Amino acid sequence: MDMRLPLKFTEAVPVQDRHQRALRELRVSVIDRCNFRCTYCMPADSLQGRGVFLPLEKLLTDHEIVDMVKAFAGLGVRKLRITGGEPLLRPGLPALVDQLASIPGLTDIALTTNGVMLPRLADDLFDAGLNRLTVSLDTLDPQVLAEMSGGKAKLAHILDGIKAAEAAGFGPLKINTVVQKGVNDHTIMDLVEYFRGTPHRLRLIEYMDVGNSNHWSEQDVVPNAEWRAAIEEKWPLRPVRSGNPAETARRFEYVDGQGEIGFISSITQPFCGGCTRARVTADGIFYTCLFSSRGNNLMPLIRHSEDPAALSREISAIWAARDDRYSEERGLPGHDRKKVEMYRLGG
Ligand code: SAM
Ligand code: SF4
Ligand code: SF4
């Protein structure tokens, strides 16, 4: 019997959490492995021993991901982001994107990548219907880049990835930069200058306390307000109204018309009030917050249920019970708990 959900799209049943936040965006991790070992995400010394990564048979199959995304779309999700680990390591990703692109209700499919495999895959991903790309790049200094990626990243490869995305036809990219005090902060203005005057939008991300293996400390964070002030001294900025209250980045444009820059300030200016994002790991665990300790395993319903509506009911019930406001409550007692790692969730 074909257990896949019907493709027919009926008007979404709106579902809201306990703070009246709708379910609008979904981030799906398609693999937890990565070819980098970024010290703020997946430090090499935290990966000792066997069984760190999911065996391939534990990953949701393409059909299962498509069925699950259909269920989310039926509950109001409009935007999908594919992430990882490094999502381009998943075998056959363009074919999966091709299927996701035809899901009724979805208006936008984006993907976040470290960029090094884009020269091989950008054309196929564009042809498959991927709408937007975010490329992560923390610095233009090859030595600092090597240190931050656990010795794995080469600047030329990431820049080649960006060129491949442009050549494939992708519009302006988002460029994600995690800023760590004393690590890459002395190189940030070079990055700002590099992307100023291009169509791409650099986004400076405050280093976050996701997971536990990066041993985050507040001392390692540079408040984004400091960058904004430093940038404005050289190039005046004005806010861009995006019209999307769920947007994580505060967007600005250069007054002289040389493009845009964004600031993601989860530590100093939390944005939980507008958070409409759900996350699912590559093995089907549903998390309602980036900083969750525990998730809900959807795999049994996705893989074994004979009732296609049961998955929607389960997602709906989990979302309705959602009370997360981690970033707004950071620092309160009980918040130094064990949390799921970033490379399992994908940001
Ligand atoms: N491997 C892909 C990449 O790096 O773009 C996708 C997955 S990665 C987990 C998604 C995003 O999370 C990246 O832009 C990365 O820089 C960001 N990230 C990872 N750990 C972070 C942390 N501790 N604080 C802030 N951003 C982080
Ligand atoms: Fe890999 Fe992305 Fe994490 Fe870096 S941030 S280790 S590239 S998953
Ligand atoms: Fe959303 Fe959790 Fe981040 Fe707040 S801390 S914005 S609830 S993911």
Side-chain angles (χ1 to χ4, degrees):
M1 189 181 14
D2 184 359
M3 297 302 299
R4 300 182 59 198
L5 296 175
L7 199 74
K8 189 169 150 284
F9 177 64
T10 43
E11 205 31 65
V13 183
V15 47
Q16 291 197 332
D17 70 7
R18 286 163 64 180
H19 301 283
Q20 286 74 52
R21 296 170 297 190
L23 173 52
R24 288 287 176 220
E25 295 158 62
L26 175 64
R27 297 188 176 187
V28 177
S29 168
V30 292
I31 193 160
D32 60 344
R33 289 160 202 251
C34 189
N35 41 6
F36 287 8
R37 292 288 179 271
C38 302
T39 48
Y40 51 76
C41 171
M42 194 193 269
D45 62 4
S46 69
L47 302 177
Q48 305 307 322
R50 292 166 56 120
V52 174
F53 296 113
L54 296 167
L56 291 183
E57 69 273 11
K58 281 242 181 168
L59 302 186
L60 294 173
T61 64
D62 286 5
H63 281 176
E64 288 166 347
I65 292 176
V66 171
D67 283 352
M68 176 188 77
V69 174
K70 279 183 197 162
F72 275 96
L75 293 167
V77 163
R78 295 288 164 265
K79 295 172 114 186
L80 174 68
R81 180 167 293 276
I82 299 167
T83 177
E86 174 45 45
L88 301 194
L89 287 177
R90 183 177 172 109
L93 185 67
L96 171 60
V97 170
D98 186 57
Q99 293 183 65
L100 293 169
S102 64
I103 293 180
L106 285 188
T107 57
D108 183 61
I109 306 183
L111 179 144
T112 308
T113 172
N114 64 30
V116 294
M117 288 171 74
L118 282 175
R120 241 183 291 167
L121 285 165
D123 282 340
D124 288 349
L125 289 169
F126 186 79
D127 292 344
L130 187 69
N131 302 117
R132 294 185 301 116
L133 269 177
T134 299
V135 177
S136 301
L137 173 61
D138 297 323
T139 178
L140 295 172
D141 180 317
Q143 186 57 37
V144 175
L145 187 65
E147 279 162 27
M148 292 182 82
S149 63
K152 303 288 184 184
K154 296 233 175 354
L155 179 63
H157 294 170
I158 302 175
L159 296 179
D160 283 351
I162 291 174
K163 279 190 213 134
E166 290 167 342
F170 285 101
L173 309 178
K174 290 177 183 165
I175 308 291
N176 274 1
T177 301
V178 179
V179 183
Q180 280 183 283
K181 192 182 269 181
V183 179
N184 63 338
D185 52 349
H186 60 292
T187 71
I188 294 303
M189 288 307 276
D190 290 345
L191 259 184
V192 171
E193 189 153 11
Y194 185 84
F195 285 103
R196 204 182 103 82
T198 75
H200 308 311
R201 195 195 313 155
L202 185 72
R203 291 140 38 104
L204 300 181
I205 305 177
E206 289 176 350
Y207 174 36
M208 294 187 285
D209 50 338
V210 193
N212 301 87
S213 63
N214 60 19
H215 304 297
W216 179 90
S217 149
E218 205 165 350
Q219 317 295 319
D220 303 329
V221 178
V222 184
N224 263 337
E226 292 183 18
W227 292 119
R228 205 183 125 189
I231 294 164
E232 283 208 284
E233 253 181 50
K234 283 184 98 169
W235 303 295
L237 297 168
R238 66 175 160 240
V240 174
R241 310 243 167 271
S242 77
N244 176 10
E247 190 152 32
T248 51
R250 290 196 162 81
R251 289 168 58 182
F252 291 83
E253 61 188 0
Y254 294 105
V255 169
D256 63 3
Q258 293 301 301
E260 270 195 38
I261 186 161
F263 301 93
I264 301 182
S265 314
S266 165
I267 307 296
T268 59
Q269 288 181 293
F271 35 77
C272 300
C275 181
T276 55
R277 277 174 301 283
R279 297 173 162 88
V280 180
T281 62
D283 56 343
I285 317 271
F286 173 18
Y287 288 91
T288 54
C289 178
L290 188 53
F291 303 91
S292 297
S293 302
R294 231 178 277 129
N296 295 269
N297 189 1
L298 301 180
M299 180 67 101
L301 282 176
I302 298 170
R303 190 162 283 183
H304 304 299
S305 172
E306 304 214 345
D307 173 9
L311 179 60
S312 298
R313 284 197 300 273
E314 177 76 359
I315 295 169
S316 201
I318 294 166
W319 192 262
R322 178 187 193 236
D323 192 28
D324 305 292
R325 291 170 54 243
Y326 179 91
S327 289
E328 291 179 352
E329 295 170 340
R330 185 181 276 114
L332 296 180
H335 271 63
D336 53 352
R337 58 180 193 230
K338 182 125 184 63
K339 291 163 282 172
V340 59
E341 293 295 332
M342 182 67 130
Y343 64 88
R344 295 261 296 134
L345 276 186

